[in-house]
Amino acid sequence: MGEILLIRHGETAWNREQVFRGRRDVSLGDRGREQARRLAGRLAEEGIEAVYSSPLSRSRETAQPVAEAHGLAVRVDERLTDMSYGEWEGRQREEVEREYPELYRAWVEAPQPFRPPGGERLSEVAARAWPAMGEIGRQHREGRVAIVTHRVVCKLLLCAALGAGEGAFWRVRVDTASISVMETGEDLWVVTRVNDTHHLRELGEGDRGDF
């Protein structure tokens, strides 16, 4: 079986400030860059044969040290990009909750049919990200690869692999620069690890608010 290391990008200022990111191209902050460095150190001996990333800077900046540790180039896949939050992007959570109370309540209580104004549904994100991971798994049937992407994408891929569906979105947690692991077979995905942040322990817990 092959193995996929599913990695959420490191922390940005907008994570700390609880600002919706989506397609906005936000770079890593100082803590995020240190997370990426420690992530690369953790994975340096893992025998990774390919590193894939979302096109957004925060993901590529997290993937780059991992790739360099293995003498690889980062492979960008547009389908791994973050969920579009439409009009919510660049706005703080409290502001969105105040201006769109009913929509925000839908997001936190029943996210599967929800669509932010001008944005994507979870099902639309899954419809592009799941085939992307499937193709990557088929290309590396017996190897180990890293995929660096975003909170929403990581959650949806883990839910799909577990057969839990989008309704389980808030039941899965993926912190910044965390590692989740899946083994791949012909038609079966086996989740062996979720939200591993042991490599970040010396940095303290930081913001664990699932944002």
Side-chain angles (χ1 to χ4, degrees), residues 2 18 32 48 61 72 88 93 99 102 104 111 119 139 144 174 177:
Q18 293 202 334
I48 293 171
E61 290 170 2
L72 301 169
W88 290 11
R93 181 191 59 78
E99 187 169 336
E102 293 184 6
Y104 184 79
Q139 290 173 23
R144 178 179 291 114
V174 282

Side-chain angles (χ1 to χ4, degrees), residues 7-13 15 24-40 51-68 74-76 148-150 177:
I7 298 165
R8 184 183 176 189
H9 66 76
E11 185 183 273
T12 72
N15 290 104
R24 297 289 186 94
D25 202 10
V26 186
S27 295
L28 296 180
D30 290 342
R31 180 183 173 87
R33 286 189 287 273
E34 179 61 19
Q35 288 177 330
R37 189 186 71 80
R38 289 172 182 261
L39 172 71
V51 178
Y52 293 83
S53 173
S54 153
L56 296 174
S57 296
R58 56 192 182 272
S59 182
R60 290 187 288 105
E61 290 170 2
T62 305
Q64 190 61 42
V66 176
E68 288 176 353
V74 176
R75 307 185 190 186
V76 172
V148 184
T149 182
H150 305 270

Side-chain angles (χ1 to χ4, degrees), residues 60-136:
R60 290 187 288 105
E61 290 170 2
T62 305
Q64 190 61 42
V66 176
E68 288 176 353
H70 295 271
L72 301 169
V74 176
R75 307 185 190 186
V76 172
D77 191 319
E78 298 285 339
R79 296 170 296 177
L80 299 172
T81 198
D82 203 358
M83 172 178 169
S84 170
Y85 286 100
E87 295 176 14
W88 290 11
E89 292 181 5
R91 306 178 74 175
Q92 285 190 305
R93 181 191 59 78
E94 290 182 356
E95 177 188 358
V96 168
E97 186 176 8
R98 184 171 58 250
E99 187 169 336
Y100 303 87
E102 293 184 6
L103 274 177
Y104 184 79
R105 189 179 307 113
W107 168 235
V108 298
E109 293 180 359
Q112 60 271 38
F114 164 81
R115 183 198 298 275
E120 285 182 290
R121 287 192 174 94
L122 292 182
S123 59
E124 293 170 324
V125 180
R128 56 177 166 80
W130 181 251
M133 189 171 72
E135 288 179 20
I136 291 169

